Amino acid sequence: MRHYKRFVQFAVTAAIATATTSFSIPVAFAGLQMESKTIKYPVAEKGATVDNYSGVSVADPYRWLEDTNSEKTHAWVEEENTVTRAYLDSIPERGDIAKRLRELWNYERCGVPSKFGKNLFYSKNDGLQNQNVLYVKDLARQNARVLLDPNTLSKDGTVALSTYNSTDDGTLIAYGLSASGSDWEDWYVKDVSTGKDLSDHLKWLKNAEVAWSADKSGFYYPRYDEPKQGSELQQANYYQKLFFHKIGTAQSDDKLIYERRDDKELEFAPTVTDDGNYLVVGVYHGTSPKNGILIENLKDPASKLMELFAPGKAMYSLVGNDGAKFYFLTDEGAPHARVISMDTKVADGKISGDENVIVKDHDDTIEQVSYLDGKLICRYLKDACNTVAIYDVNGKFDRMLDLPGLGAADGFTGRQSDTDTYYSYTSFNTPAVIYHIDLNNKKQDEFFKPTFKFNSDDYVTDQIFCKSKDGTTVPVFVSHKKGIALDGKNPTYLYGYGGFKISLLPFYSPSNLLWMERGGVFAVATLRGGGEYGESWHQSGMKLNKQKVFDDFIGAAQCLIDKKYTCSEKLSIGGGSNGGLLVGACITERPDLYRAAVAQVGVMDMLRFNKFTVGWEWVQEYGSPENADEFKALYAYSPLHNIKSGVCYPCTLITTADHDDRVVPGHSFKFTAAMQAVQKCDNPVLIRVDVKAGHGHGKSTEKLIDEATDKWAFLTKTLGTPKSVR
């Protein structure tokens, strides 16, 4: 079942100022133009656009920068990139940083395998390949071979394998490719035995999941109508439809299975049960985790999709089924989620069922459940780390899985008949190790363990607990090289996200390791708005409560200072996407608290985020600018609209990309222009615009290394990070 989290998390994010409550036009837009004494920024012309929201006039002088196809915008971007490159390329340490990053990145890594029939599918990267390569292994013969190498599909490594799904017997895969970082995907079908593509080619899918029929005749998939030519990266995407594609036929002949002309914002995620008897469709309204469920009996010609759960009430994720008995993970009546069974019946064209609780809700949040070999494998969240418990199908506790330590586990997928499965484990200083579990003899062994060019024992991660403005406890992971002095002078990078019920668990990144290796502290704050403590934790940081997320982050920053990890002059903050919004809001609310900030592909204009591509989905999380109360809250923290003259903002690096069709580049363009226009001091405000790249999905290794090099070089110059202490 598709997960509802469509807003990709970047993993891989003292006194607290009161939120702005004035609704007059911010001074930043009043025509004042200032510039740094040391950096001459391109002049961004101010227009006269003014919008009215609930009776409030709001200026938008840089509206023209939303048009990423205009020559005027192109010229501004080129000038900005020239200024940014001149600044970053002049940093003496940049060359050493780039060299060491390539060394740290150059290690073999493996994804979590998935078993279909006699075949095992998994991704691998030999170290510096731009894209991961899909392998298939014949379990009977124990030989592995390359099935799909995206690196052969483009010279610059900007075509990526988005996802794939196999038939139950492992003989065919349907797979999606994305180009230049766009969320748009082209889907194809490959014969696994020959490695050759069939004639099938599907377009206008986005972040899609497909579900094969049991007879392999085709698959169910969701797609949008073709957008207007030239507006593919900006046009709002509505009215998703569910189709069935028959193998060997044209997409134009695909059968429409389901649509809702009465609700343009619904999206669909199909699953076919392991027995092949039922089509189960998740129905999502934007990014809300409160989805619906539709079920159709595929063995009954008279059956049709019927609603078992309506969207908007709770989260329901299909775990599996035994005939007409279905198992779901849900948070209905369970703040930390529980597993239920439902004996369904059909009468008068409607489906209903009697519910039975299998695994009860308790203090730790259930994040994922797999149904394998008559067992329920439940992955829990405990203070933003994973634990794994195994129950039988009736809910009787069997055992806790022995994990290597405090970190993050992922995987545990398979068919209900499988007696084994695979999972990965990682932490802030340990690249992912892949484990194989035999569920019968309860043994696990290493399937893959990477070899890397550093000593993980040289680093330590602590979890500290900080206080937010309202007294809420905010956990913060703090990682660094062993033996640092808590003298308040360590260059520190604090990362956060705080939204969309996305949980920030321990994760390994060669980029972050470089920072720690060079003497820096890397901290990750567990903010409200995420899913670490269940749906109540999420709701306490969304819509009218969004300010609490920023309060949490500011509280975490002050906590790091109070505990002598760092000081304001050595502290930087960073985040991407919704985390970019976090950074933008925090530097406009507390510009004095940090020396530097890195805001990646951020949502900076909270009054127009819903106008482009899938931005309307986020109304479920942020609220609507058209709603008077929600507009008031949005306007109070919107980064673009809270930039003020006469303020010295931190040294700021803003990043975006020309093919970002999730958070369109106009957000970052307008924010940059507005901040550069009023920056009081000589702290640089720079924007880095990547080309042939998007929101982050599918970004090539070369581009990842280049971006990380620029980030750490920027922070080295602004924070004075010491040279390598290895």
Side-chain angles (χ1 to χ4, degrees):
M1 180 67 65
R2 185 202 84 167
H3 214 272
Y4 60 85
K5 297 168 184 173
R6 298 289 301 279
F7 219 58
V8 175
Q9 136 189 9
F10 264 54
V12 162
T13 70
I16 300 171
T18 303
T20 303
T21 55
S22 171
F23 292 94
S24 60
I25 299 174
V27 178
F29 293 158
L32 181 62
Q33 181 79 30
M34 302 173 67
E35 69 178 35
S36 166
K37 298 175 182 177
T38 56
I39 300 177
K40 183 175 178 60
Y41 299 115
V43 175
E45 176 185 326
K46 289 184 173 69
T49 302
V50 177
D51 296 310
N52 186 284
Y53 297 89
S54 300
V56 179
S57 295
V58 180
D60 193 4
Y62 302 112
R63 178 75 58 84
W64 60 274
L65 283 170
E66 292 179 353
D67 185 359
T68 55
N69 294 321
S70 75
E71 292 185 6
K72 187 177 178 182
T73 301
H74 286 171
W76 180 84
V77 168
E78 186 174 349
E79 290 182 48
E80 289 284 353
N81 268 343
T82 298
V83 170
T84 300
R85 284 265 52 92
Y87 184 94
L88 296 175
D89 290 345
S90 68
I91 298 172
E93 297 89 349
R94 189 180 184 281
D96 289 341
I97 290 172
K99 180 181 178 181
R100 182 56 179 157
L101 273 175
R102 293 185 70 83
E103 293 172 352
L104 290 172
W105 231 289
N106 191 12
Y107 70 98
E108 188 178 28
R109 46 200 179 272
C110 179
V112 180
S114 297
K115 186 170 69 174
F116 294 92
K118 67 176 183 179
N119 287 328
L120 196 69
F121 299 86
Y122 55 91
S123 64
K124 285 188 75 174
N125 193 303
D126 66 13
L128 294 176
Q129 288 174 292
N130 275 316
Q131 300 292 340
N132 295 338
V133 178
L134 181 63
Y135 284 77
V136 61
K137 182 177 184 178
D138 186 322
L139 290 171
R141 299 178 181 178
Q142 292 297 308
N143 64 314
R145 58 185 169 86
V146 173
L147 182 60
L148 176 61
D149 184 357
N151 298 289
T152 65
L153 302 179
S154 64
K155 292 181 179 180
D156 56 4
T158 56
V159 173
L161 172 64
S162 302
T163 189
Y164 70 94
N165 198 3
S166 171
T167 54
D168 289 340
D169 62 1
T171 59
L172 295 174
I173 65 164
Y175 66 94
L177 299 177
S178 64
S180 300
S182 172
D183 280 347
W184 287 118
E185 299 164 346
D186 282 32
W187 278 73
Y188 305 88
V189 177
K190 186 179 291 289
D191 184 301
V192 174
S193 62
T194 65
K196 293 183 179 179
D197 281 350
L198 306 185
S199 60
D200 308 80
H201 180 196
L202 309 181
K203 295 178 68 65
W204 309 121
L205 287 76
K206 257 192 181 186
N207 301 299
E209 292 185 6
V210 307
W212 283 94
S213 61
D215 62 4
K216 304 190 299 184
S217 64
F219 53 82
Y220 301 89
Y221 74 99
R223 73 171 174 89
Y224 296 98
D225 292 333
E226 181 177 355
K228 181 180 178 182
Q229 188 173 4
S231 63
E232 295 88 348
L233 301 181
Q234 285 192 303
Q235 180 179 319
N237 307 130
Y238 292 115
Y239 293 112
Q240 194 181 74
K241 303 178 180 68
L242 185 67
F243 287 88
F244 181 79
H245 174 71
K246 186 176 181 180
I247 298 303
T249 65
Q251 186 177 20
S252 57
D253 296 330
D254 289 351
K255 180 182 178 181
L256 178 63
I257 300 298
Y258 191 78
E259 67 175 331
R260 285 282 300 273
R261 298 302 300 175
D262 62 318
D263 194 333
K264 66 182 180 180
E265 296 182 350
L266 293 183
E267 298 176 314
F268 312 107
T271 301
V272 173
T273 55
D274 281 2
D275 58 17
N277 293 339
Y278 295 93
L279 172 64
V280 181
V281 179
V283 181
Y284 298 82
H285 190 223
T287 55
S288 170
K290 299 179 180 182
N291 63 292
I293 294 288
L294 306 174
I295 296 180
E296 177 182 349
N297 186 341
L298 297 174
K299 300 303 180 183
D300 181 1
S303 180
K304 62 179 181 179
L305 281 170
M306 296 171 287
E307 185 176 83
L308 180 62
F309 301 116
K313 183 179 181 182
M315 174 273 291
Y316 301 95
S317 180
L318 177 68
V319 174
N321 74 300
D322 291 322
K325 176 188 283 188
F326 292 86
Y327 300 91
F328 294 97
L329 173 65
T330 181
D331 58 8
E332 180 187 5
H336 300 107
R338 62 185 177 181
V339 181
I340 63 170
S341 67
M342 183 159 284
D343 292 295
T344 62
K345 54 184 179 293
V346 176
D348 300 325
K350 296 182 180 180
I351 188 170
S352 60
D354 298 320
E355 178 183 316
N356 182 43
V357 177
I358 304 297
V359 179
K360 296 180 180 180
D361 174 33
H362 64 75
D363 291 342
D364 297 336
T365 299
I366 306 179
E367 188 179 27
Q368 174 201 6
V369 181
S370 300
Y371 183 14
L372 305 171
D373 191 34
K375 301 174 180 65
L376 299 175
I377 304 176
C378 297
R379 185 178 68 183
Y380 285 89
L381 281 168
K382 183 178 179 62
D383 291 333
C385 290
N386 282 137
T387 61
V388 177
I390 301 177
Y391 302 83
D392 69 16
V393 73
N394 297 312
K396 182 181 178 181
F397 176 76
D398 181 358
R399 67 188 189 275
M400 297 298 295
L401 188 66
D402 185 20
L403 294 178
L406 293 177
D410 191 23
F412 308 103
T413 61
R415 294 178 57 77
Q416 291 176 203
S417 58
D418 287 345
T419 60
D420 64 341
T421 188
Y422 299 82
Y423 76 94
S424 67
Y425 168 82
T426 190
S427 65
F428 288 112
N429 64 341
T430 307
V433 179
I434 310 299
Y435 294 89
H436 171 256
I437 309 174
D438 187 315
L439 295 171
N440 285 331
N441 61 27
K442 301 183 180 181
K443 291 184 178 180
Q444 62 176 333
D445 51 57
E446 292 178 354
F447 173 81
F448 174 85
K449 185 173 184 178
T451 301
F452 36 86
K453 300 171 182 176
F454 67 94
N455 184 4
S456 59
D457 291 336
D458 290 343
Y459 302 88
V460 64
T461 296
D462 296 313
Q463 189 175 42
I464 62 175
F465 294 88
C466 303
K467 292 294 184 180
S468 188
K469 183 179 183 180
D470 62 3
T472 298
T473 298
V474 178
V476 179
F477 292 107
V478 186
S479 301
H480 52 80
K481 207 162 188 180
K482 289 180 178 178
I484 67 166
L486 295 183
D487 57 4
K489 298 179 181 179
N490 298 295
T492 298
Y493 181 65
L494 172 62
Y495 179 83
Y497 189 80
F500 296 88
K501 206 177 178 180
I502 289 175
S503 302
L504 279 190
L505 278 65
F507 62 95
Y508 173 76
S509 163
S511 171
N512 297 333
L513 186 82
L514 174 126
W515 178 248
M516 293 186 284
E517 185 179 75
R518 294 174 64 86
V521 172
F522 175 66
V524 176
T526 302
L527 311 173
R528 279 176 283 188
E532 294 87 352
Y533 293 102
E535 178 59 15
S536 60
W537 186 254
H538 170 223
Q539 291 187 15
S540 64
M542 60 183 287
K543 288 195 170 180
L544 299 181
N545 293 323
K546 188 68 176 177
Q547 178 59 41
K548 294 180 181 179
V549 180
F550 314 135
D551 292 344
D552 289 355
F553 201 53
I554 291 169
Q558 186 61 52
C559 183
L560 291 171
I561 295 171
D562 293 343
K563 291 183 179 293
K564 303 298 183 181
Y565 283 100
T566 191
C567 61
S568 289
E569 282 300 305
K570 294 289 185 177
L571 176 62
S572 64
I573 58 173
S577 196
N578 174 73
L581 159 63
L582 172 71
V583 172
C586 287
I587 63 175
T588 52
E589 289 187 20
R590 284 297 307 275
D592 60 305
L593 191 56
Y594 343 89
R595 171 63 177 163
V598 180
Q600 298 171 275
V601 292
V603 187
M604 301 301 192
D605 184 346
M606 300 309 298
L607 304 186
R608 288 179 58 78
F609 70 87
N610 58 330
K611 303 295 185 183
F612 307 100
T613 63
V614 295
W616 56 266
E617 293 183 338
W618 316 331
V619 168
Q620 300 295 320
E621 181 77 13
Y622 296 141
S624 171
E626 279 71 52
N627 175 288
D629 290 338
E630 292 172 348
F631 157 72
K632 184 177 180 180
L634 290 164
Y635 192 44
Y637 70 76
S638 177
L640 176 65
H641 300 94
N642 283 279
I643 298 170
K644 301 175 178 65
S645 62
V647 175
C648 177
Y649 289 103
C651 305
T652 303
L653 178 63
I654 300 154
T655 72
T656 186
D658 63 350
H659 279 70
D660 190 343
D661 50 359
R662 193 173 308 181
V663 180
V664 295
H667 282 278
S668 295
F669 292 173
K670 293 163 66 175
F671 184 71
T672 300
M675 185 173 283
Q676 287 179 346
V678 300
Q679 175 68 304
K680 178 184 179 182
C681 57
D682 285 342
N683 291 344
V685 176
L686 306 173
I687 183 168
R688 182 187 188 277
V689 186
D690 210 346
V691 296
K692 296 192 73 176
H695 196 64
H697 169 73
K699 185 171 285 190
S700 70
T701 296
E702 282 299 318
K703 286 186 175 293
L704 290 171
I705 292 174
D706 286 346
E707 184 173 18
T709 298
D710 285 341
K711 178 174 77 172
W712 296 129
F714 178 78
L715 294 180
T716 294
K717 181 175 178 63
T718 55
L719 301 182
T721 306
K723 294 184 178 180
S724 176
V725 293
R726 287 184 292 137

